[in-house]
Amino acid sequence: MKTRESIIRFIQKQKTAFVGSVDEDGFPNIKAMFTPRKIEGNCFYFSTNTSSMRSQQFMKNPKASIYVYNRGRFKYEGIMLTGTMEVLQDDGIKQEIWCTGDTMYYKQGVTDPDYCVLKFTAIKGRHYCDLQTESFDMKDLE
């Protein structure tokens, strides 16, 4: 079994995370995003637009998943986490994960009303590597 720290290290090494939401008809929607800017315990923080379809979906239905993988030449490894997503407008967390280049997306800077933070709280997950799949509860990880 993987540890919480090994999961975090794996996710931080990747460039892309696939984020899943549920639309108004109950169908899953997947979007590629940059990997989380901050990881704290079982919480993963992403930056995005407040006006985005994904943010609007999470405001209506917080069920979410994230999937991160590494496809090497001879080895494929992936981690899927399921949990809930909150849309945060708090100035403190927005400032904490803000990066200089973000002005390209948010012209008004860190206070741009179209800039928000998605906080994903993982509850459980599945790990795949070397033809082996294992499910786990985040609360059981060390």
Short mmCIF file of all heavy atoms in Angstrom, two decimals, residues 11 19 31 51-52 58 67 81 137 141:
data_model
loop_
_atom_site.label_atom_id
_atom_site.label_comp_id
_atom_site.label_asym_id
_atom_site.label_seq_id
_atom_site.Cartn_x
_atom_site.Cartn_y
_atom_site.Cartn_z
N ILE A 11 1.90 12.78 -7.11
CA ILE A 11 1.06 13.81 -7.72
C ILE A 11 1.88 15.06 -8.03
O ILE A 11 1.74 15.65 -9.10
CB ILE A 11 -0.14 14.12 -6.80
CG1 ILE A 11 -1.12 12.93 -6.80
CG2 ILE A 11 -0.86 15.40 -7.24
CD1 ILE A 11 -2.25 13.03 -5.79
N VAL A 19 -9.62 16.33 -13.48
CA VAL A 19 -10.58 16.63 -12.43
C VAL A 19 -11.98 16.27 -12.94
O VAL A 19 -12.37 16.69 -14.02
CB VAL A 19 -10.51 18.12 -12.03
CG1 VAL A 19 -11.56 18.46 -10.99
CG2 VAL A 19 -9.11 18.45 -11.51
N LYS A 31 -11.99 17.19 -16.82
CA LYS A 31 -11.22 18.33 -17.34
C LYS A 31 -9.76 18.17 -16.92
O LYS A 31 -9.48 17.81 -15.78
CB LYS A 31 -11.77 19.63 -16.76
CG LYS A 31 -10.97 20.86 -17.17
CD LYS A 31 -11.50 22.10 -16.48
CE LYS A 31 -10.57 23.25 -16.72
NZ LYS A 31 -11.10 24.27 -17.57
N SER A 51 -16.07 31.75 -12.96
CA SER A 51 -17.12 31.65 -13.97
C SER A 51 -17.10 30.34 -14.75
O SER A 51 -17.98 30.10 -15.56
CB SER A 51 -16.99 32.82 -14.94
OG SER A 51 -15.73 32.74 -15.61
N SER A 52 -16.11 29.50 -14.51
CA SER A 52 -15.98 28.28 -15.31
C SER A 52 -17.14 27.32 -15.07
O SER A 52 -17.75 27.31 -14.00
CB SER A 52 -14.66 27.57 -15.00
OG SER A 52 -14.71 26.97 -13.72
N PHE A 58 -19.43 22.34 -9.31
CA PHE A 58 -19.06 22.00 -7.94
C PHE A 58 -19.91 22.75 -6.92
O PHE A 58 -20.16 22.25 -5.83
CB PHE A 58 -17.58 22.26 -7.69
CG PHE A 58 -16.68 21.26 -8.38
CD1 PHE A 58 -15.63 21.70 -9.16
CD2 PHE A 58 -16.89 19.90 -8.25
CE1 PHE A 58 -14.80 20.80 -9.80
CE2 PHE A 58 -16.07 18.98 -8.89
CZ PHE A 58 -15.02 19.44 -9.67
N TYR A 67 -7.59 12.41 -11.04
CA TYR A 67 -6.79 11.29 -11.54
C TYR A 67 -5.48 11.84 -12.05
O TYR A 67 -5.46 12.83 -12.81
CB TYR A 67 -7.53 10.56 -12.67
CG TYR A 67 -6.80 9.32 -13.12
CD1 TYR A 67 -6.85 8.15 -12.36
CD2 TYR A 67 -6.03 9.31 -14.28
CE1 TYR A 67 -6.17 7.01 -12.76
CE2 TYR A 67 -5.35 8.17 -14.69
CZ TYR A 67 -5.43 7.03 -13.93
OH TYR A 67 -4.75 5.91 -14.31
N LEU A 81 -8.39 9.61 -6.93
CA LEU A 81 -8.92 9.95 -5.62
C LEU A 81 -10.35 10.45 -5.79
O LEU A 81 -10.64 11.19 -6.74
CB LEU A 81 -8.07 11.04 -4.96
CG LEU A 81 -6.60 10.70 -4.72
CD1 LEU A 81 -5.85 11.93 -4.23
CD2 LEU A 81 -6.46 9.54 -3.75
N ASP A 137 -8.65 3.77 1.73
CA ASP A 137 -9.33 4.89 2.40
C ASP A 137 -8.25 5.86 2.85
O ASP A 137 -7.26 5.45 3.44
CB ASP A 137 -10.11 4.42 3.63
CG ASP A 137 -11.56 4.15 3.32
OD1 ASP A 137 -12.19 5.05 2.73
OD2 ASP A 137 -12.05 3.06 3.66
N LEU A 141 -4.43 5.79 5.72
CA LEU A 141 -3.05 5.98 5.30
C LEU A 141 -2.22 6.66 6.39
O LEU A 141 -2.73 7.48 7.14
CB LEU A 141 -2.98 6.82 4.03
CG LEU A 141 -3.61 6.22 2.78
CD1 LEU A 141 -3.46 7.18 1.61
CD2 LEU A 141 -3.01 4.87 2.45
#
